[in-house]
Amino acid sequence: MKKTIIGVAVLTVIFILNSTAFTADRPKPFGLEVGKSTYEDCIKILEARNWNYQEYEKKKLKIIDEKDPARGKNTFILAKLKDMKGARGIRLFFSNQSILDAIIITLDPDMFVAVMDEMDDKYDLVKKNLMGEDFTDNYTHVLWEKDNIYIELQKLSAHFVRLLYVEKVLYENYKDFLFKPYERFRRQEMKPDWMKEL
């Protein structure tokens, strides 16, 4: 009797774990999983897809040599996507433990609506701002979440669109990475004198 009860209990636990695994399926763009994929896993995927890539330090943006022992630790990889219409490139960011921290996919500007529709079908909407301003902190963006991952589609300017995958706790670190708003420095438009009378 005890063996039957234990067997039923074990099967129940396995069933619960399997069912929650399917409901909490984390995003895996191109087989890459933020917070889980190792540096080595990512390199294998890049090489299997025949994507050319270069690795850089996060802070100084210095190129990392292939034999450098610092590879995969607080670095990022910039890869060109091959045979992917509408996608320009991908950046993979690694922690000091060589785990994938974030993914940024650079897209053609005309892909914004199509990608937004695709993400709406897959993930839970958090925030939508379709009336943002170029080159400011208030850029056009849509933010979704799945499990503990944020997915943000960003239209930073008319020609600069990207898709970010990052764990919620690291979102603030990566949402503006390699993008600095320059609203304060934007050239003021010439205003003719007649405008004072408006």
Side-chain angles (χ1 to χ4, degrees):
M1 182 71 178
K2 282 186 180 180
K3 287 184 180 180
T4 304
I5 293 172
I6 291 171
V8 169
V10 169
L11 287 174
T12 304
V13 169
I14 290 171
F15 177 76
I16 291 170
L17 289 175
N18 282 339
S19 65
T20 56
F22 288 117
T23 57
D25 193 24
R26 292 163 51 99
K28 289 185 193 176
F30 312 117
L32 303 162
E33 188 172 0
V34 170
K36 302 266 178 165
S37 294
T38 65
Y39 176 78
E40 291 78 20
D41 295 336
C42 295
I43 294 298
K44 285 177 189 171
I45 289 171
L46 292 173
E47 289 175 350
R49 290 180 173 263
N50 201 23
W51 291 347
N52 294 329
Y53 62 91
Q54 181 64 58
E55 190 167 352
Y56 300 86
E57 281 183 5
K58 278 187 203 172
K59 290 185 180 178
K60 298 178 184 175
L61 302 180
K62 183 182 107 182
I63 293 177
I64 301 286
D65 186 69
E66 286 183 24
K67 294 178 181 160
D68 193 321
R71 287 178 67 213
K73 294 182 173 136
N74 283 324
T75 63
F76 73 95
I77 288 176
L78 174 60
K80 291 187 178 181
L81 304 180
K82 202 171 190 178
D83 302 322
M84 296 189 59
K85 186 179 177 186
R88 296 180 174 177
I90 188 168
R91 293 181 177 103
L92 309 177
F93 298 86
F94 300 96
S95 69
N96 57 358
Q97 290 89 26
S98 298
I99 301 297
L100 185 61
D101 265 352
I103 300 168
I104 296 178
I105 303 165
T106 310
L107 305 167
D108 286 342
D110 60 352
M111 294 299 295
F112 187 88
V113 173
V115 171
M116 180 175 64
D117 291 344
E118 182 70 21
M119 299 295 108
D120 276 340
D121 291 341
K122 289 184 175 181
Y123 307 119
D124 300 323
L125 182 65
V126 174
K127 182 180 178 187
K128 190 179 275 194
N129 175 14
L130 298 180
M131 301 300 287
E133 300 173 73
D134 291 356
F135 302 112
T136 69
D137 289 328
N138 182 34
Y139 53 83
T140 299
H141 68 281
V142 185
L143 181 65
W144 300 270
E145 69 177 302
K146 179 72 174 184
D147 199 15
N148 67 333
I149 305 293
Y150 269 162
I151 304 103
E152 184 173 61
L153 180 60
Q154 305 172 330
K155 186 174 183 184
L156 305 170
S157 77
H159 305 289
F160 193 18
V161 173
R162 63 189 194 175
L163 185 62
L164 167 69
Y165 292 81
V166 64
E167 288 185 308
K168 284 184 187 181
V169 295
L170 298 174
Y171 172 71
E172 290 296 325
N173 296 353
Y174 287 100
K175 74 179 181 89
D176 296 328
F177 197 86
L178 298 176
F179 167 73
K180 296 292 179 208
Y182 65 88
E183 186 174 14
R184 290 184 302 236
F185 308 106
R186 219 171 9 180
R187 196 182 80 201
Q188 295 296 316
E189 294 291 323
M190 290 287 292
K191 295 182 180 177
D193 286 339
W194 60 262
M195 286 184 68
K196 292 176 186 171
E197 296 182 47
L198 293 177

